[in-house]
Amino acid sequence: MDRSAAEAGFALDPAQRAVRDRLLVLAEDLLAPGLRRRRPRGLYVWGDSGRGKSWLLDAYFQALPTEAKRRVHFHGFFDQLHRRIHDHQGEADAVERAVASLTDGVRLLYFDEFHVHDAGDGTLLIRLLRRLFRSKVVLLVSSNYAPASLLPNPLWHHIFEPGIELILKNMDTVRLAGPADYRSQQPPADAGFSSGAWIAPGTGTQLQRLGLAAPRGPEPASIRVGSRDFEVTALRPDELWCTFTQACEAETSSIEFLDWTRRFDRFILTDVPSFRDVDPAGQQRFINLVDILSDSDTPAYLTSELDYREFRAGAGDRPDAFRMLSRLQLLQGADA
């Protein structure tokens, strides 16, 4: 991990080194010879956005010399889990079979961006955790939330309390604290999510400078995911254009967003409004979309009448907005 940091042009700070040391202990336990091997406790690493949790755990995951490992992201894993449950529908142990099929041969399961805001997801997560902790799978988690803060809505928090108990019983908890949001210090990238841009107000000239050709007049189009059709602005061989209304105010979900990032090399979202003018469901869809674009490292171009600082000021206290804002500041124009 230190070598990876040096190659990336920085050194681990004291808080990151403390987490590194705990990860190395976990590696020793995972790789111990058969006679010495015991089932290690899992590790739950949490802290504010931009402190290097995902980078540190990704570097650890890549360096761990075993093939019996799997990295999953919250949205992608739940998409796969729901698909596998559907494959076993009608069976009394459908969830057990689905989880087993996703963890077969896995010794370490690294779950990035662990969070719970939906009561239904919380119930399913409890069943998932019970299955994992009964198995030989060791769970490694990154999260912006302390375990006790998961499913923070006070109306529903009690639903996930059994899940919190399971985490605390079976995992060690380490907070990665630090004064700096390192994402705010990163220079623009030449590829991937952060090679995109926040474009205000999104004129044709601004788009052209970024190599984007805005639709000339209406290009009515739709895209099918499963059995459902979704209206979009334009479909190109390598890019998808849609408005905020089409992507986040329609009945879309993470399933569609995951499908779109797999099918297109670039994602252009136009007419992003202030969060003050968007209902909670639309806000959450946008947060999920940014999560998925970032995790898939898909170049994202967002146009808005607001500059990024104006948008940030209106984001409010929506759950997970802090993570969304930390990621959006990677885009060109977000620091203007």
Side-chain angles (χ1 to χ4, degrees):
M1 286 176 279
D2 294 84
R3 180 181 298 175
S4 296
E7 291 173 352
F10 67 93
L12 300 182
D13 66 28
Q16 292 169 337
R17 290 198 297 271
V19 174
R20 173 207 60 190
D21 293 344
R22 181 58 185 82
L23 288 168
L24 292 176
V25 172
L26 177 60
E28 291 178 1
D29 291 339
L30 285 167
L31 302 174
L35 292 177
R36 291 177 45 213
R37 179 173 295 179
R38 59 186 178 86
R39 184 174 182 272
R41 287 174 61 81
L43 187 62
Y44 186 107
V45 181
W46 70 280
D48 293 337
S49 293
R51 269 58 185 179
K53 295 182 302 299
S54 292
W55 184 93
L56 193 62
L57 270 61
D58 281 340
Y60 170 80
F61 181 84
Q62 293 297 329
L64 193 67
T66 178
E67 295 299 318
K69 59 184 179 181
R70 184 175 184 191
R71 178 195 183 278
V72 296
H73 187 267
F74 183 88
H75 299 291
F77 184 80
F78 262 78
D79 177 44
Q80 295 179 57
L81 182 59
H82 284 296
R83 291 175 187 271
R84 299 296 176 90
I85 291 173
H86 183 269
D87 292 341
H88 295 285
Q89 63 180 337
E91 302 175 20
D93 56 352
V95 174
E96 294 279 323
R97 288 177 175 269
V99 174
S101 68
L102 290 171
T103 58
D104 184 39
V106 174
R107 173 79 168 148
L108 177 73
L109 180 65
Y110 165 31
F111 210 135
D112 191 26
E113 300 291 3
F114 192 93
H115 59 272
V116 192
H117 293 299
D118 179 83
D121 284 347
T123 301
L124 186 55
L125 264 176
I126 291 170
R127 298 181 67 179
L128 167 66
L129 291 170
R130 284 177 177 150
R131 171 65 174 77
L132 290 175
F133 292 140
R134 287 200 305 266
S135 72
K136 296 181 179 180
V137 178
V138 177
L139 189 59
L140 175 64
V141 164
S142 73
S143 180
N144 295 128
Y145 295 88
S149 297
L150 294 166
L151 194 54
N153 189 322
L155 294 176
W156 308 113
H157 179 75
H158 66 281
I159 291 175
F160 196 66
E161 286 178 347
I164 294 169
E165 292 178 8
L166 286 167
I167 290 170
L168 296 177
K169 180 179 178 181
N170 293 277
M171 305 181 74
D172 292 335
T173 301
V174 178
R175 183 180 183 185
L176 178 51
D181 182 342
Y182 289 107
R183 289 193 182 113
S184 66
Q185 303 173 13
Q186 293 183 25
D190 296 326
F193 174 77
S194 56
S195 68
W198 182 279
I199 313 163
T203 65
T205 300
Q206 288 176 312
L207 293 169
Q208 288 175 4
R209 289 172 181 162
L210 293 166
L212 301 172
R216 295 184 176 181
E219 289 186 33
S222 65
I223 183 170
R224 171 159 289 213
V225 181
S227 61
R228 302 176 65 199
D229 292 309
F230 297 88
E231 182 178 326
V232 297
T233 304
L235 296 173
R236 311 279 175 77
D238 61 344
E239 61 190 28
L240 172 65
W241 290 70
C242 57
T243 66
F244 183 93
T245 296
Q246 291 168 338
C248 301
E249 295 183 344
E251 292 299 317
T252 51
S253 70
S254 297
I255 292 173
E256 285 74 50
F257 300 154
L258 287 160
D259 179 84
W260 297 348
T261 57
R262 286 191 288 262
R263 292 165 63 177
F264 298 95
D265 295 333
R266 296 194 292 188
F267 192 99
I268 299 90
L269 183 72
T270 60
D271 305 322
V272 177
S274 169
F275 255 33
R276 295 187 180 103
D277 300 324
V278 181
D279 65 27
Q283 293 175 0
Q284 190 60 53
R285 290 191 187 98
F286 182 63
I287 291 168
N288 293 345
L289 174 59
V290 173
D291 270 349
I292 290 167
L293 289 168
S294 176
D295 185 65
S296 63
D297 211 20
T298 300
Y301 299 84
L302 285 64
T303 75
S304 176
E305 290 294 327
L306 308 173
D307 66 36
Y308 179 68
R309 292 180 183 178
E310 292 173 318
F311 174 80
R312 183 185 187 104
D317 298 324
R318 175 73 191 175
D320 282 347
F322 56 87
R323 186 174 68 247
M324 169 195 71
L325 294 171
S326 179
R327 287 173 165 163
L328 288 177
Q329 69 184 348
L330 292 171
L331 301 178
Q332 300 174 53
D335 58 353

